[in-house]
Amino acid sequence: MPITCTIKDKIAEIVFDVPPVNAFDSDTWMSIPQIITEAGRNPEVNCILIRAEGRGFCGGVDIKEMQAHPERITILNRGNYLTFKAIRDAEVPVVSAVHKFVIGGGIGICGASDTIIAADDAYFSLPEVDRGAMGGASHLSRMLPLHKVRAAFFTGGNIPAEEAYRPGAGEKIVPRADLEAEARAFCAVIASKSRKALVIAKEALNGLEPRDVDRGYRWEQGFTLEMYMHEDSQKSRDAFVETGKAAEF
């Protein structure tokens, strides 16, 4: 199974394992919301931990699928939207434990989470401009200040975990070898609390946010569809699949 969920000590641990880079196709994205929602509704779960096996946390979407089947963009968009919304709407706190690359949709997962534990080798990136797409800034804006988000979006550059941590993106940075243990220990503190208190607190905190991140992401997705209809979008995907580099315009 590419995505598994195990429950132990009131922690639901959701693990991504989609070689080679945890880049998910549209079907995989569509499968994630139910896993998260069911975990959050389970009365035996007080905290959800999302982590990954392999080379990095999440490579975003499967660009090869979108290159070969651009008509699937609406399914992919819906899978992304429902995944991030499920995380934010989960009845209990959600912690993302990330290592190495956190790209595209990985940003959405982290931005929708309640907090992040990052390995010291982790970095965050929104290469959408180079992939012929849009989206992700709404969730990155839950992690970083406005101008940092815009610089990252326009350049498609990488933000090391240490740099993201300084303005508040994440709870702590830990050695890569200690990531799983540190994340489970942090989740254990949350899981030791009253489930009822956690559910109420999550709802209250969501309601305090100054803007609706889900609505903001839906706004972005409208521009994703507009971009996909432009010839530059296909040129960008072709360049990435064929050379691994951004197209030149």
Side-chain angles (χ1 to χ4, degrees), residues 19-246:
V21 293
N22 285 320
F24 309 147
D25 62 19
S26 53
D27 286 342
T28 302
W29 279 111
M30 285 295 292
S31 73
I32 300 174
Q34 183 177 356
I35 296 171
I36 294 166
T37 300
E38 289 181 353
R41 289 176 178 169
N42 189 321
E44 299 302 316
V45 171
N46 285 9
C47 184
I48 297 172
L49 170 61
I50 301 177
R51 68 172 187 86
E53 296 289 344
R55 291 161 53 183
F57 176 71
C58 181
V61 306
D62 183 350
I63 300 297
K64 291 182 179 179
E65 179 193 29
M66 288 299 101
Q67 181 208 30
H69 300 283
E71 74 280 1
R72 295 180 187 173
I73 181 59
T74 54
I75 301 173
L76 179 67
N77 269 357
R78 184 160 182 79
N80 284 165
Y81 172 76
L82 293 176
T83 294
F84 310 151
K85 190 175 189 304
I87 293 171
R88 187 167 177 272
D89 289 347
E91 293 188 20
V92 297
V94 179
V95 178
S96 285
V98 305
H99 69 284
K100 208 62 178 177
F101 46 81
V102 184
I103 299 174
I107 296 288
I109 291 169
C110 287
S113 297
D114 293 285
T115 195
I116 304 163
I117 308 293
D120 53 12
D121 65 353
Y123 63 88
F124 304 91
S125 180
L126 279 178
E128 269 68 3
V129 168
D130 291 333
R131 304 289 189 270
M134 294 288 135
S138 186
H139 291 91
L140 189 61
S141 294
R142 292 187 87 211
M143 301 164 57
L144 296 169
L146 183 148
H147 287 100
K148 191 65 179 176
V149 171
R150 292 192 176 207
F153 204 95
F154 291 146
T155 65
N158 299 335
I159 305 171
E162 185 66 44
E163 186 177 337
Y165 174 77
R166 286 197 294 270
E171 175 63 20
K172 61 172 70 176
I173 298 175
V174 301
R176 172 68 184 94
D178 300 336
L179 179 62
E180 290 180 36
E182 290 276 359
R184 290 188 185 119
F186 181 81
C187 289
V189 174
I190 297 174
S192 70
K193 313 299 181 185
S194 156
R195 175 181 164 89
K196 185 61 176 179
L198 292 170
V199 170
I200 292 174
K202 176 78 181 269
E203 182 179 358
L205 291 169
N206 279 358
L208 286 172
E209 292 195 35
R211 64 181 183 84
D212 187 337
V213 67
D214 298 319
R215 184 176 180 180
Y217 185 62
R218 266 314 208 194
W219 165 263
E220 285 189 273
Q221 286 193 321
F223 292 98
T224 295
L225 186 58
E226 181 180 338
M227 185 66 213
Y228 262 76
M229 295 172 66
H230 195 282
E231 62 183 16
D232 287 355
S233 181
Q234 190 65 41
K235 180 179 178 181
S236 296
R237 287 190 296 277
D238 290 344
F240 177 75
V241 171
E242 293 168 8
T243 69
K245 299 178 181 179

